Amino acid sequence: MKRFTSILMIFILMFTFMSTTSVMALAADGNVEAQPGASDDMGSLLSELKVAIKELLLEIINFIKSDETYKNIATAILAILAILLLPLILGVVVIVFVAIVAMESFVGAMVKIVEIILALIPSLI
């Protein structure tokens, strides 16, 4: 279990790094006017992700509460594992949301720095 959790955290960190790198590359294009649209897209993506996660959690909870779940031994074991892993799943979801918010604020700061630099370059020349 410890190995699975560490592998999952490595995947989350890699996904966070890859997402941040791609957004920073988008900000480095010099097309500053396109950035507010990217922020709106990130907001809509976050809301879609939140809806999808809520639906997944409701399906897991309904699966656990269903009487038909416990008719088969394998599904009963699966339900017990779902009960035990539900806090872990919720923790990973919270970590992912915090990472996405941190990425968005970091990229916003980077875009502001690029805007300031681009505004200063003509005055230096």
Side-chain angles (χ1 to χ4, degrees):
M1 188 66 188
K2 190 175 185 181
R3 177 177 273 171
F4 174 73
T5 307
S6 62
I7 290 172
L8 189 63
M9 292 302 293
I10 289 170
F11 280 134
I12 290 172
L13 288 174
M14 287 180 60
F15 176 73
T16 304
F17 176 73
M18 288 183 211
S19 299
T20 305
T21 306
S22 64
V23 172
M24 285 173 29
L26 177 68
D29 277 346
N31 190 2
V32 179
E33 290 80 19
Q35 295 308 318
S39 177
D40 294 338
D41 292 339
M42 182 67 90
S44 65
L45 180 67
L46 278 174
S47 64
E48 290 175 11
L49 180 66
K50 187 188 299 184
V51 168
I53 289 173
K54 282 183 181 179
E55 290 175 1
L56 176 69
L57 288 175
L58 286 176
E59 286 180 20
I60 291 173
I61 290 170
N62 288 335
F63 174 74
I64 292 170
K65 287 183 177 180
S66 175
D67 291 334
E68 297 174 7
T69 301
Y70 301 100
K71 289 183 180 177
N72 191 354
I73 294 174
T75 54
I77 292 172
L78 184 64
I80 291 169
L81 286 175
I83 290 171
L84 294 175
L85 294 177
L86 195 60
L88 179 68
I89 293 170
L90 290 174
V92 169
V93 167
V94 167
I95 289 171
V96 168
F97 272 118
V98 167
I100 289 173
V101 168
M103 285 187 312
E104 189 173 338
S105 56
F106 175 74
V107 170
M110 291 300 290
V111 167
K112 293 296 181 187
I113 290 171
V114 169
E115 287 177 359
I116 291 170
I117 292 172
L118 287 176
L120 290 177
I121 287 176
S123 65
L124 294 176
I125 296 177

